[in-house]
Amino acid sequence: MMAENLKAASSFEEGESKERDENKENTVAKRSLPSSVDWRSYAGWPWLATIQNQDPCGSCWVFAATALVEAQTRIEHGIWAKRSEADLHDQMGVSCQQGGGPDFALNWAFSNGDGIADPQCDEYTNTDKPWLVCGDRSGRAVRIPEYVSLNDVNDQKEWLANVGPIAACFIVYWDFWNWNFTAPTAYKWDGTSKVDGSHCILIVGYDDNIGGWLFRNSWGLPWGINGDGYGYIGYGQANVDVWTKFGIQNVNPDPWTKRRHRNGNMFESGNGATHRNFELFRSNGTNGFTQVFRNGEAPYAWAEASNPWLSDGKAIYGQPVAMGSSFNRDFELVYVGMDGTLNHWYYSQARPGWFSTGTVGLVDWLAGFPGFVEMGDSSFSVVVKTSEASLHEYIRDSSTGYWSFAAEISPSATISQSGPSLVQSNVGLDIYDANSRGNLYVVAVTYSQQMQLFWRAGYAGSSWIAAETFGSGITPSPPVMIQDFWRTEDETTPGGFQLLVAVNGQVQHWQRVNTDILTSPPKAGGAGPWQQVHTFGTNIRHVWSLLQGSFNWGLEAIVEDTSGNLWHWSYTLEGWNQVAKVPGLPGGQ
């Protein structure tokens, strides 16, 4: 049965208080609020991930809590962070039919469970099973704060209008099953039907003209208004306004979810009060690298980290490439040394400090700037130009820790420069299949002074395909590419590619909208849908980083001028703007 046993639901008491409902209605009338709110499309943007199905388990309370975390992550940080109901449900050790309240689930995720991981880490099934999760769960879980209890209807509406959705529960009477939820009308108890149980949902809006709360259900499709999984329940009906509702604010996303939205020597971490610090790593020129960061709160100042100077005695070719990884949210960093070697460092969160894994034992002499990603199986991939002007891929096995040659992407005498343009995308990814992998894409500069896109399926051993060529007059400078989350309807939509490259002292901004990338994969013989959309800056030597972060979904870039200084640039609706000079001594190639 989809409705949970009423007495099993925590934090709720049986019985409906008419007096309390009337007081709530009076409270609403005292304040000025919008007449309707709908987070399915708020301010013209989609905010809610795909509808799920709990059937036949009594786990609606877990689905409501999980959907709340997904929505708030999207609202606060822009990214789609689909979460695993199983990770929360199974970790608590409850059975398929056991009821509860979203407050209990949220409190567990806050205090006991260290957040909620992604579906590939622990796939939901509608059976009782032990908690079996991926080995790197700690770096794949969105961490959450303590929940906020919302008891007043007016406060609940204000929260919906200004913060985000809220989790709630209500009594399920027998007439609920016969209500026509395919029409946009609010359910009202007929006054005589008996109690069948209770149910928990995510309230994603309200409509005073309809007279009810807009809620997201967990009964799959085609239930709901136009079969979309949503319905309305009337104000004051079935204890929905008697029982406490719950919200959260200031979530801390995991680096695994962000991995396709950043590239180069800067990324957005979960550090800082609002969990959106920029972490940047710059070459010291002749000896090691320096860690620099920018707080995610005003005045947004750049500063060097404590003990920032790290060295293995090697000069870095260009700039390092860094990321936050799924391994306990450790920072990972690779760079090509002036001696042609690949070098790997990591910062351990468990025993705070930087550690070098030494020079990676590769046969090839490297002569380009690397692309560096964590792939779907948690292994690392590096794509970089060799001294023979070919493009090679190297993989670090996540179980053994060993690096090895994986593939020749482009033959000798074809590539003039590589860069941090390697993207582990969501194209071709099924997040409900633990073995599914999104396609990999990379762009390099060729000796024909153009850029070329290469791609392969995400599975190990897949062959690389040489595809579109675009641009002209591109001299050997590193292209930097990410996958964005603009134009995405939910977590399944392939985001577009955003690419920056320095050409003749300016930065060219290129874009590929990936609406049909699954049905029409990139192929050789043309530029495809690539478009140059902006040009900015003067006296620019290289671009070293690009990310799409939490600040109004804008793009953030790090560029190097001809004097070796690093500068932070930001893209908003008004275009690209220079923000600040990054601390540190000039350097670079």
Side-chain angles (χ1 to χ4, degrees), residues 392-465:
H392 284 188
E393 180 186 19
Y394 308 93
I395 290 179
R396 179 183 183 269
D397 187 280
S398 59
S399 58
T400 66
Y402 294 132
W403 289 87
S404 61
F405 170 80
E408 181 179 76
I409 301 173
S410 184
S412 300
T414 58
I415 302 299
S416 68
Q417 192 52 272
S418 55
S421 60
L422 180 61
V423 174
Q424 167 78 77
S425 75
N426 71 335
V427 180
L429 174 66
D430 179 0
I431 63 172
Y432 300 106
D433 179 355
N435 296 313
S436 179
R437 307 287 180 256
N439 295 347
L440 271 72
Y441 299 86
V442 69
V443 170
V445 180
T446 68
Y447 275 123
S448 63
Q449 295 192 330
Q450 291 183 295
M451 291 180 285
Q452 185 164 17
L453 176 71
F454 303 86
W455 70 278
R456 71 168 175 86
Y459 299 98
S462 300
S463 298
W464 283 91
I465 298 170

Side-chain angles (χ1 to χ4, degrees), residues 278-407:
F278 292 158
E279 314 289 347
L280 185 147
F281 303 86
R282 62 171 302 156
S283 167
N284 291 332
T286 60
N287 191 359
F289 61 92
T290 295
Q291 181 183 356
V292 185
F293 70 96
R294 196 198 80 163
N295 283 327
E297 305 80 45
Y300 307 111
W302 285 95
E304 289 188 350
S306 59
N307 300 317
W309 191 283
L310 299 161
S311 175
D312 51 11
K314 288 188 177 180
I316 296 176
Y317 179 50
Q319 297 292 338
V321 182
M323 70 167 79
S325 76
S326 67
F327 298 102
N328 201 36
R329 299 195 174 202
D330 288 352
F331 296 170
E332 309 279 348
L333 181 147
V334 299
Y335 63 84
V336 172
M338 293 298 289
D339 59 357
T341 60
L342 182 66
N343 301 267
H344 176 213
W345 285 70
Y346 71 96
Y347 180 87
S348 172
Q349 305 288 353
R351 47 192 183 115
W354 281 96
F355 299 89
S356 172
T357 61
T359 299
V360 176
L362 302 176
V363 175
D364 301 308
W365 181 284
L366 305 182
F369 306 123
F372 179 42
V373 298
E374 183 175 12
M375 298 194 295
D377 61 356
S378 301
S379 60
F380 294 150
S381 173
V382 165
V383 170
V384 63
K385 173 194 171 186
T386 71
S387 59
E388 297 179 348
S390 58
L391 194 65
H392 284 188
E393 180 186 19
Y394 308 93
I395 290 179
R396 179 183 183 269
D397 187 280
S398 59
S399 58
T400 66
Y402 294 132
W403 289 87
S404 61
F405 170 80

Side-chain angles (χ1 to χ4, degrees), residues 13-239:
E13 297 178 359
E14 190 170 357
E16 191 167 6
S17 170
K18 182 178 180 181
E19 179 181 358
R20 186 174 180 182
D21 290 341
E22 290 173 348
N23 289 338
K24 286 180 179 293
E25 291 171 2
N26 292 336
T27 303
V28 172
K30 292 177 182 178
R31 300 182 186 177
S32 176
L33 288 165
S35 61
S36 66
V37 170
D38 186 347
W39 280 101
R40 291 176 300 177
S41 179
Y42 191 85
W45 293 91
W47 302 92
L48 305 176
T50 51
I51 293 290
Q52 302 304 296
N53 194 343
Q54 71 186 71
D55 186 42
C57 293
S59 51
C60 61
W61 52 289
V62 175
F63 277 72
T66 303
L68 175 60
V69 173
E70 294 171 356
Q72 206 60 35
T73 305
R74 167 72 169 166
I75 291 166
E76 294 177 3
H77 296 275
I79 57 176
W80 295 105
K82 194 65 183 174
R83 298 295 91 189
S84 166
E85 295 84 7
D87 181 54
L88 186 55
H89 184 270
D90 298 346
Q91 186 181 174
M92 290 186 287
V94 296
S95 67
C96 171
Q97 291 298 336
Q98 186 171 337
D103 55 333
F104 179 72
L106 291 168
N107 186 62
W108 182 279
F110 164 68
S111 59
N112 298 88
D114 195 22
I116 309 176
D118 63 285
Q120 286 190 302
C121 188
D122 188 7
E123 184 180 0
Y124 178 82
T125 61
N126 55 11
T127 58
D128 293 332
K129 67 181 182 67
W131 183 48
L132 299 172
V133 294
C134 55
D136 54 349
R137 179 194 177 279
S138 61
R140 296 170 62 161
V142 173
R143 299 171 182 173
I144 67 171
E146 290 187 274
Y147 64 79
V148 176
S149 297
L150 300 164
N151 294 297
D152 179 83
V153 167
N154 199 65
D155 292 341
Q156 295 162 8
K157 285 189 170 184
E158 286 191 341
W159 188 279
L160 284 162
N162 299 306
V163 180
I166 49 181
C169 301
F170 58 88
I171 293 174
V172 175
Y173 295 100
W174 280 107
D175 69 326
F176 184 84
W177 303 108
N178 298 320
W179 189 266
N180 180 18
F181 282 101
T182 61
T185 56
Y187 164 76
K188 293 182 179 180
W189 178 42
D190 62 15
T192 59
S193 294
K194 302 297 183 181
V195 173
D196 185 37
S198 66
H199 187 49
C200 300
I201 40 81
L202 184 71
I203 292 180
V204 300
Y206 64 85
D207 193 315
D208 290 340
N209 293 321
I210 293 176
W213 304 103
L214 173 64
F215 69 92
R216 170 193 174 94
N217 210 349
S218 53
W219 294 349
L221 302 177
W223 188 94
I225 305 168
N226 299 319
D228 65 358
Y230 295 85
Y232 283 95
I233 183 169
Y235 297 142
Q237 296 296 314
N239 271 21

Side-chain angles (χ1 to χ4, degrees), residues 4-12 58 61 97-101 104 197-198:
E4 284 67 59
N5 182 279
L6 178 62
K7 294 181 180 179
S10 67
S11 302
F12 309 116
W61 52 289
Q97 291 298 336
Q98 186 171 337
F104 179 72
S198 66

